[in-house]
Amino acid sequence: MPTLGRFAAAIAGGYVFTNGFVVSTTLTGFIFGLRYFEAQTLAWLLSVIVYLAAMLWAFAERRLARVWLVLGGGGLALCVGAWLLSRQLL
Amino acid sequence: MRETFRLSMAYLHTWLGLILGFVLMVVFFFGSLSVFDREIDRWSVPETRAEAAPFPSFDRDVRPVIAQVRPDPHSVEHTAAEVIGTLPAAEDMKASDMGVYTNHRDPLVRMYVAFDVPNKPRDPLLDHVHVYGYASIDPQTGERLPPDLQDRLALGTGFFFPLHYMLHLEWKNLGYWIVGLAGMGMLVALVTGVVMHRKIFREFFTFRPGKGRLRSTLDLHNMTGVLALPFLFLISLSGLLIFAYMYFPSPTALMNPLMEVQEAADAERTGLAAEPSGRPGGLASVDAMMQDARARWAANGVPGEVGEVYIAHLGDADSYVSISRDTVDRVATGETLHFSAATGELIYEDPPASAVEAVDGFLYGLHFQFFRHWPLRWLLFIGGLMGCACIATGFLFFVEKRKRKHAETSIPGARIVDALAVASVSGMLVATCAMLLANRLLPIDLAGHDVWQMRVFWFAWLFSLLHAAIRSPRVAVGGTSPAWRDQCWMIAGLALAAVLANWATTGDHLLSTVGMGYWPVAGVDLVLLAGAGAAALAAYRLGRRAAMTSHTLKASPETASIGRQAHV
């Protein structure tokens, strides 16, 4: 079932990655001087495009393991990083 | 994952389109109808067939109604499932916020009141849990609409519009997530569709209706897809952005403490209290604030009417009143003035939108379409229907391309997809027209009047699927299902019957509505008649073709190689 594995990586991996992107972009924008809620709006504005790109890449990339590593692993790393850093700013 | 980038994109396009196309068909069709949701409301609730009117006096007409509004039982039920413990009795709930709004297409002023509940939410991310109550006011008379009329199912805003974005699947917000995934699928299908066709500009001008089914179907799929590409991309994107906060909740989930600090800082900066103070306070004349707002808009060179009034923390010393200019003259929403409820003095004026807010506001407004620009509104309606045509021809191409091969090897794939396509294209129209007809024919005093209309809708749709399945054996031998033709006749009959039933039950026939220039009802009737005509024409031509090809079914050597390389 290579097709199902590919769809799972695109949808789930891409989803984790996009959440990582949104939270880290909100925080980065805020740190670089945007108002918090404006940074958040910007991140959500870009979220759909990022998810789209992640899904397409998941189908274009030959090695499925790499898709999971970059999208799933990268997304988780961004989430954890933003979570830790946001607590430093309080 | 395939040999080349283009082949993997083609593979993705085919299978994603097949799986999500059924949902997308619903989203695009009922989204198109929602462009005219207020007009469908007028058609389906004839007692409200009146001209739109400007915002009434708040102090005289709206204010007395606030205290009369009680929590809505449906909302109580919904919130009860979201919180820990049992909710207090509805009569003990305290109103906290209220909003009242109208629009240039609406003869009603609608209001909602949010009631506080003391319970903690099950999901810690929901920081504010409320129960809502509703009321509608007739701006012509200033009277509140009687409850039976106010709660009557209006098919536009009450049924087709929610079907468009959440499929009426409330459980765990499942409908929102399915529509969201389908919306992402639409974007993927658009990009992969462009990638797999290198000669995209030539295809833009290519339509070969005489060149065999497979060719013309593909041409039509490409033509609608390419012609409407900017629209299809932007409408999918903007629709997803409306719910992005729900689909991607990572900032609220992971940085809640930082967000709360920033919320407090924003409240400090603007002077608009995020939480009530707990001390009682009064409400000055809102009419005076509205007058002040109109004067300020006129002075700023953007004269306009009030579109919405929102009051935060009703009855509290920190209560404030937000007054927004109506959105007839622009796509984006916003432009709000905030007044102290107690003194009526201006506290804060929304600054001009930053670049981010301007883009966000434009995309949001593009999807909600509050503006007053009829050609643009029709263009968006037609764009939505082109999206439907693009999706439907995608199904047809999938079936046409495979049915001969599947017939030879006895695979049921093409037959199943064709039956599902019949149900999701013509069956959806059968269900919609049946519901409009039921809306006019079911007696108003029937218990469960609203529920019966919905039952007619869902059962008509289910019937169309069964009918499509029963009539599909001809696809299994490489032919065309007669279900398409049958259901086109049903659409034509039901749409015509709906127009006649509207005349019979309300007396509003086309000569009268067009003569009076009452376009909300005339428009729905005209679109129904146009739909009936198109469906009848399609049924007639399908019948003629079936008669012509029934004896030469196996003879035509159709070029099955088109796109073969790209499709797997």
Side-chain angles (χ1 to χ4, degrees):
Chain A
M1 289 266 103
T3 309
L4 279 184
R6 202 49 81 154
F7 271 107
I11 293 171
Y15 183 72
V16 173
F17 184 81
T18 309
N19 268 301
F21 168 83
V22 170
V23 70
S24 56
T25 303
T26 303
L27 190 62
T28 313
F30 174 62
I31 290 170
F32 282 95
L34 283 179
R35 281 192 304 106
Y36 180 86
F37 293 100
E38 190 171 355
Q40 185 176 264
T41 303
L42 175 66
W44 273 327
L45 204 53
L46 299 173
S47 64
V48 172
I49 300 293
V50 169
Y51 197 11
L52 173 63
M55 280 185 169
L56 294 175
W57 178 72
F59 275 83
E61 168 60 47
R62 277 163 187 276
R63 285 154 297 178
L64 188 58
R66 196 164 151 189
V67 174
W68 277 113
L69 186 71
V70 172
L71 294 184
L76 274 180
L78 287 172
C79 283
V80 172
W83 178 69
L84 287 173
L85 191 56
S86 76
R87 266 146 183 79
Q88 302 299 309
L89 294 176
L90 289 174
Chain B
M1 60 179 288
R2 297 278 146 169
E3 296 72 37
T4 68
F5 179 68
R6 220 157 62 81
L7 286 185
S8 14
M9 292 298 110
Y11 170 85
L12 180 56
H13 185 91
T14 303
W15 294 101
L16 194 73
L18 179 67
I19 296 163
L20 294 176
F22 301 107
V23 183
L24 285 172
M25 198 71 206
V26 175
V27 173
F28 268 85
F29 180 67
F30 291 105
S32 307
L33 291 192
S34 299
V35 173
F36 294 110
D37 57 349
R38 299 300 203 282
E39 288 71 19
I40 297 171
D41 282 1
R42 300 291 78 75
W43 193 94
S44 61
V45 186
E47 292 87 339
T48 62
R49 289 181 185 177
E51 294 294 339
F55 208 95
S57 159
F58 189 99
D59 297 346
R60 190 191 64 218
D61 298 338
V62 179
R63 194 169 176 170
V65 179
I66 302 175
Q68 296 171 18
V69 177
R70 299 316 313 155
D72 177 67
H74 186 73
S75 175
V76 171
E77 194 186 318
H78 181 85
T79 303
E82 273 186 340
V83 298
I84 301 163
T86 32
L87 289 175
E91 51 273 18
D92 297 335
M93 292 179 188
K94 188 184 156 303
S96 62
D97 312 307
M98 66 86 61
V100 50
Y101 56 96
T102 188
N103 137 334
H104 67 100
R105 289 155 57 224
D106 220 333
L108 298 175
V109 178
R110 300 156 187 246
M111 64 187 278
Y112 62 88
V113 176
F115 296 87
D116 270 336
V117 294
N119 308 55
K120 287 242 177 293
R122 285 178 197 279
D123 177 359
L125 291 182
L126 292 171
D127 54 344
H128 289 97
V129 193
H130 291 297
V131 167
Y132 293 91
Y134 306 96
S136 297
I137 295 166
D138 180 350
Q140 317 270 6
T141 62
E143 299 282 321
R144 184 180 178 187
L145 247 56
D148 64 318
L149 191 53
Q150 176 205 305
D151 296 336
R152 182 103 56 84
L153 180 68
L155 294 188
T157 52
F159 189 78
F160 297 148
F161 179 51
L163 185 58
H164 157 64
Y165 62 81
M166 48 81 80
L167 310 173
H168 291 292
L169 286 174
E170 280 183 40
W171 182 74
K172 302 260 182 210
N173 289 339
L174 185 64
Y176 293 90
W177 288 91
I178 294 175
V179 171
L181 189 61
M184 286 308 305
M186 184 70 192
L187 292 179
V188 171
L190 289 171
V191 174
T192 53
V194 170
V195 169
M196 63 201 270
H197 297 288
R198 277 180 295 193
K199 298 171 191 157
I200 191 138
F201 286 101
R202 188 190 293 178
E203 277 167 357
F204 184 72
F205 299 104
T206 307
F207 181 44
R208 289 157 287 186
K211 279 256 183 175
R213 292 289 278 292
L214 193 64
R215 250 299 158 212
S216 17
T217 309
L218 184 60
D219 285 349
L220 202 55
H221 182 62
N222 292 338
M223 195 171 73
T224 48
V226 175
L227 195 61
L229 187 66
F231 165 77
L232 296 176
F233 193 89
L234 275 183
I235 210 72
S236 309
L237 175 69
S238 57
L240 286 160
L241 290 177
I242 292 167
F243 293 115
Y245 74 93
M246 176 178 162
Y247 295 145
F248 307 114
S250 52
T252 24
L254 297 171
M255 305 198 296
N256 205 36
L258 180 62
M259 191 187 79
E260 277 175 0
V261 170
Q262 290 305 313
E263 215 166 41
D266 266 17
E268 186 72 30
R269 183 173 59 85
T270 59
L272 305 174
E275 301 292 335
S277 66
R279 290 172 286 114
L283 178 60
S285 164
V286 177
D287 282 349
M289 299 178 212
M290 282 162 54
Q291 202 49 49
D292 188 353
R294 287 192 202 97
R296 285 172 195 273
W297 293 324
N300 289 343
V302 284
E305 258 305 319
V306 172
E308 180 177 2
V309 175
Y310 167 81
I311 307 180
H313 321 313
L314 280 164
D316 188 85
D318 280 349
S319 173
Y320 64 89
V321 180
S322 303
I323 297 178
S324 306
R325 193 162 73 86
D326 68 7
T327 45
V328 293
D329 60 347
R330 63 194 185 285
V331 171
T333 53
E335 301 198 17
T336 306
L337 299 164
H338 309 271
F339 298 85
S340 158
T343 65
E345 278 167 34
L346 185 74
I347 308 174
Y348 183 71
E349 179 173 357
D350 282 359
S354 67
V356 170
E357 287 160 351
V359 173
D360 190 58
F362 176 81
L363 289 173
Y364 180 88
L366 180 73
H367 209 98
F368 275 100
Q369 300 156 12
F370 293 125
F371 49 77
R372 180 167 59 206
H373 193 297
W374 291 96
L376 182 56
R377 189 167 291 280
W378 277 101
L379 212 54
L380 289 162
F381 176 69
I382 291 164
L385 293 186
M386 282 182 73
C388 294
C390 185
I391 299 158
T393 47
F395 287 142
L396 292 181
F397 181 71
F398 184 96
V399 173
E400 287 296 319
K401 196 173 152 46
R402 285 162 184 77
K403 68 181 182 190
R404 210 164 293 268
K405 203 169 111 199
H406 286 190
E408 283 161 13
T409 50
S410 299
I411 297 172
R415 180 180 167 184
I416 293 170
V417 172
D418 190 67
L420 289 170
V422 170
S424 63
V425 179
S426 56
M428 180 173 65
L429 294 167
V430 168
T432 305
C433 294
M435 188 182 206
L436 289 170
L437 182 61
N439 169 274
R440 290 294 78 235
L441 293 187
L442 291 171
I444 279 302
D445 47 9
L446 174 76
H449 179 257
D450 297 349
V451 179
W452 273 110
Q453 293 177 63
M454 295 186 213
R455 281 182 192 145
V456 166
F457 179 82
W458 297 116
F459 278 106
W461 208 344
L462 189 65
F463 159 79
S464 79
L465 177 62
L466 293 177
H467 170 255
I470 291 166
R471 296 283 266 164
S472 64
R474 208 178 289 174
V475 181
V477 292
T480 301
S481 170
W484 287 105
R485 185 187 52 199
D486 300 348
Q487 295 197 7
C488 280
W489 282 123
M490 291 179 212
I491 296 164
L494 287 166
L496 185 62
V499 174
L500 294 175
N502 177 43
W503 177 11
T505 55
T506 66
D508 289 346
H509 55 84
L510 269 169
L511 289 179
S512 131
T513 49
V514 172
M516 286 190 309
Y518 193 62
W519 290 107
V521 169
V524 174
D525 275 347
L526 286 170
V527 168
L528 278 169
L529 286 182
L537 182 67
Y540 169 72
R541 297 189 59 165
L542 281 169
R544 212 177 46 175
R545 186 154 61 194
M548 266 162 33
T549 56
S550 60
H551 48 91
T552 55
L553 193 64
K554 294 233 157 83
S556 86
E558 214 161 293
T559 45
S561 63
I562 303 154
R564 167 161 287 178
Q565 187 197 11
H567 287 268
V568 186

